[in-house]
Amino acid sequence: MKKGKEVKISYWAAHATTIVSVTLVLLIIGIIALATTSARQETRRLKESLEISVIMADSVSNAGAAATLGHMRALPFCRNLRLITREEALQAWKNDTGEDLEALFGVNPLSPEISFTMPAAYSNPDSLARISKLLLSQPGVEDVATPDSQLVVTMNSNIGRISLILGIIAVVMLIISFVLINNTVHLTIYARRFIIHTMQLVGATNGFIRRPFVWHNCLAGIIAGIIAAAILGTALALAPQAGFAGLGVLVEWPVYGATAALLIILGGGICALAASLATNRYLRKEYGELFR
């Protein structure tokens, strides 16, 4: 019992620095990953919120507009189709302007409309032009109101620039994290370089020597990943109470779950790789080189 306790304490004492260092690095990577994923989801949401209105001719009745809407359901770029009847259009005009067009003209001069949103892939000027041309060729369609093409171009340009910046930051952080974790693990194995040499002298194979170092450091990386994921999860859970309720909308829990799993795998994988490289380095050294 006492022996087991000593082994447990020695493990934590030997790998405490590694766990803390790797946790901090993984925490930063997790924040970047969540920010990048949330930015992509917000980008998709903005693109899919763009609305197109199909204005029917005056001669088209509400039933005719409903029939056109039925045909449009088969089109791949039409989502969330909604029919705005003559009466609904008149009421909306009255609510927005305060004018009663029916009392003014004696009849309802407004036509029925069909509004819909599109998948994110269609939110570009070329696709909007093709969609508008196709809809205008449909019988009973008088006009198609699409978002301003310059607005779409500007939005896509800004989104692309932000995504590029976040991607570059993520790649740089991944490289820096590997260097930092590799150095931390290397120092841990450096302290045991004479044990490695002693094991070689008694006939232990390289695989046998390497295995415990790789496993212990892999376990340290997994623990660090779990701690980093727990910190991120706690921050997200407490964000609404701290006045950051919007984080719950930008960062969904399934996305957090995937990020947490990535941190755990990344922590264990990088630490195992670093331990293998560092151990191989000392396996190739002669006894005199261990003092350098």
Side-chain angles (χ1 to χ4, degrees):
M1 189 74 179
K2 183 178 179 181
K3 182 178 179 181
K5 184 176 180 181
E6 289 176 353
V7 171
K8 184 177 180 181
I9 293 175
S10 64
Y11 174 83
W12 288 105
H15 295 86
T17 302
T18 301
I19 292 173
V20 172
S21 301
V22 176
T23 297
L24 294 176
V25 173
L26 292 178
L27 190 59
I28 296 175
I29 292 177
I31 294 173
I32 296 296
L34 287 178
T36 303
T37 305
S38 299
R40 289 179 179 176
Q41 288 188 331
E42 184 65 13
T43 296
R44 184 180 294 106
R45 188 192 67 80
L46 287 174
K47 288 183 176 181
E48 293 180 350
S49 66
L50 295 177
E51 192 172 82
I52 293 181
S53 296
V54 179
I55 304 171
M56 309 303 294
D58 293 338
S59 59
V60 176
S61 64
N62 291 335
T68 301
L69 184 146
H71 295 308
M72 291 175 61
R73 291 188 188 280
L75 298 175
F77 52 80
C78 290
R79 286 184 178 178
N80 304 315
L81 285 154
R82 183 169 64 94
L83 173 63
I84 303 174
T85 64
R86 292 176 178 272
E87 293 74 23
E88 290 172 343
L90 180 65
Q91 186 61 43
W93 180 278
K94 185 175 181 180
N95 293 338
D96 292 340
T97 65
E99 297 179 350
D100 189 346
L101 295 180
E102 190 171 22
L104 184 62
F105 295 102
V107 294
N108 182 358
L110 300 180
S111 305
E113 299 179 10
I114 299 172
S115 68
F116 65 93
T117 57
M118 305 169 296
Y122 291 92
S123 297
N124 59 78
D126 292 338
S127 295
L128 290 175
R130 288 194 296 269
I131 290 172
S132 180
K133 183 178 180 180
L134 175 62
L135 293 176
L136 285 171
S137 66
Q138 301 299 313
V141 176
E142 182 176 283
D143 193 15
V144 177
T146 60
D148 181 63
S149 59
Q150 186 58 43
L151 173 64
V152 175
V153 170
T154 303
M155 183 183 71
N156 289 337
S157 176
N158 292 338
I159 289 172
R161 192 177 297 112
I162 293 173
S163 299
L164 177 62
I165 292 173
L166 288 176
I168 293 174
I169 293 175
V171 172
V172 171
M173 284 304 307
L174 190 60
I175 296 173
I176 293 175
S177 68
F178 178 78
V179 173
L180 292 177
I181 293 174
N182 181 65
N183 289 340
T184 302
V185 174
H186 177 79
L187 290 175
T188 301
I189 297 177
Y190 174 80
R192 291 166 173 76
R193 64 195 186 282
F194 291 107
I195 296 177
I196 294 175
H197 184 71
T198 302
M199 294 176 71
Q200 284 181 308
L201 292 177
V202 298
T205 63
N206 289 348
F208 181 84
I209 297 172
R210 189 187 305 110
R211 192 177 302 116
F213 290 101
V214 172
W215 164 244
H216 288 160
N217 283 280
C218 178
L219 181 60
I222 292 173
I223 293 172
I226 293 174
I227 295 174
I231 293 174
L232 286 177
T234 302
L236 289 176
L238 297 179
Q241 302 177 15
F244 298 97
L247 283 177
V249 178
L250 291 176
V251 182
E252 300 176 352
W253 285 108
V255 174
Y256 161 76
T259 303
L262 175 64
L263 292 181
I264 296 172
I265 295 172
L266 195 62
I270 292 180
C271 286
L273 177 61
S276 179
L277 294 175
T279 306
N280 288 338
R281 177 180 179 183
Y282 289 107
L283 286 172
R284 293 191 296 265
K285 286 183 177 292
E286 299 293 336
Y287 180 73
E289 297 176 317
L290 300 179
F291 293 93
R292 299 176 184 174

